[in-house]
Amino acid sequence: MPGTDTLTSAAPHTQAAAPPAGAASQPGRGLPGWWSFIEDRLLLNVATILMMAAIGIMFYEASSRSLLSESHWWAEELVRFMVVWSVLLSLGVGTRHGHYIRMDLLLNMMPQGLRLAFSWVNSLIGLGFSVLLVVAGIQEVAHLQAIGMFTESNLDLPLWMVRLVLPLGGVLYGFAFIGNIILLLRGQDPDPPTEGENL
């Protein structure tokens, strides 16, 4: 039957097209296995610990204010540092996993070639921003180290050590776009639409 032949011939084609999209969306795409291990097992855990510690300190400060009428100046500053470190350490991992806001509706309506062109533009601009973040971060860290500035509260931390996360976060962020560029050089879509997103 012609209708049956059409349906049966379309099924293998759909199954054959699914693995490349799934393979490209794997967490370790475009980067060596050791780097994926560092990101997924080390950086994400450190970022999670920092965020949980920040939440714990905020809870302690709020409880101390409401129950004991005592406020700790260092708590607010430490929480701010922990949140910034947590975000910048995990920013590249989040980008590589696709956890960011994008115009899915418009991108999914584009043909494959146009999607790849926009992926190139996105990756190159993102890599350029990462380089600027690293350069500006290194300059700021060197300046703060030269003038010997410390944090405002009684923590008395060297401010250059706190701001060291800027160049470090820029390097980690840049690796996400380097992974995308490697995939694009192989002719793969670094951020393919998931099942059901194609319009």
Side-chain angles (χ1 to χ4, degrees):
M1 296 176 60
T4 307
D5 294 341
T6 304
L7 290 175
T8 54
S9 62
H13 176 70
T14 304
Q15 293 174 353
S25 62
Q26 289 178 355
R29 68 183 199 273
L31 294 174
W34 60 267
W35 182 257
S36 298
F37 174 82
I38 290 175
E39 279 191 340
D40 299 333
R41 298 300 178 94
L42 297 182
L43 290 179
L44 284 182
N45 287 333
V46 170
T48 302
I49 291 171
L50 288 173
M51 189 63 73
M52 291 177 64
I55 293 172
I57 294 173
M58 282 190 292
F59 179 77
Y60 167 74
E61 173 65 11
S63 302
S64 178
R65 284 185 180 185
S66 60
L67 300 177
L68 304 176
S69 298
E70 293 181 0
S71 179
H72 305 283
W73 189 21
W74 56 266
E76 180 183 350
E77 190 175 47
L78 185 58
V79 165
R80 196 184 321 136
F81 294 156
M82 286 182 168
V83 170
V84 170
W85 271 76
S86 177
V87 170
L88 287 178
L89 287 179
S90 59
L91 188 61
V93 186
T95 300
R96 198 162 53 79
H97 283 258
H99 301 308
Y100 56 89
I101 300 174
R102 60 180 186 149
M103 296 188 300
D104 289 332
L105 181 62
L106 179 61
L107 289 174
N108 295 336
M109 295 174 63
M110 294 180 180
Q112 179 72 6
L114 194 56
R115 281 177 58 91
L116 291 178
F118 273 100
S119 294
W120 270 107
V121 173
N122 176 60
S123 299
L124 293 175
I125 291 177
L127 187 59
F129 173 78
S130 302
V131 171
L132 287 178
L133 185 60
V134 172
V135 172
I138 291 175
Q139 290 177 350
E140 183 178 11
V141 168
H143 174 68
L144 292 172
Q145 188 177 17
I147 64 177
M149 193 171 181
F150 288 83
T151 55
E152 297 177 358
S153 71
N154 53 358
L155 287 174
D156 287 333
L157 296 174
L159 199 54
W160 70 268
M161 293 181 62
V162 177
R163 299 295 176 85
L164 197 61
V165 72
L166 290 175
L168 178 60
V171 170
L172 298 175
Y173 196 40
F175 267 94
F177 296 107
I178 291 174
N180 287 351
I181 291 174
I182 292 174
L183 275 184
L184 288 168
L185 290 173
R186 297 173 181 170
Q188 301 176 19
D189 190 347
D191 196 9
T194 59
E195 186 178 354
E197 285 187 352
N198 277 322
L199 298 177

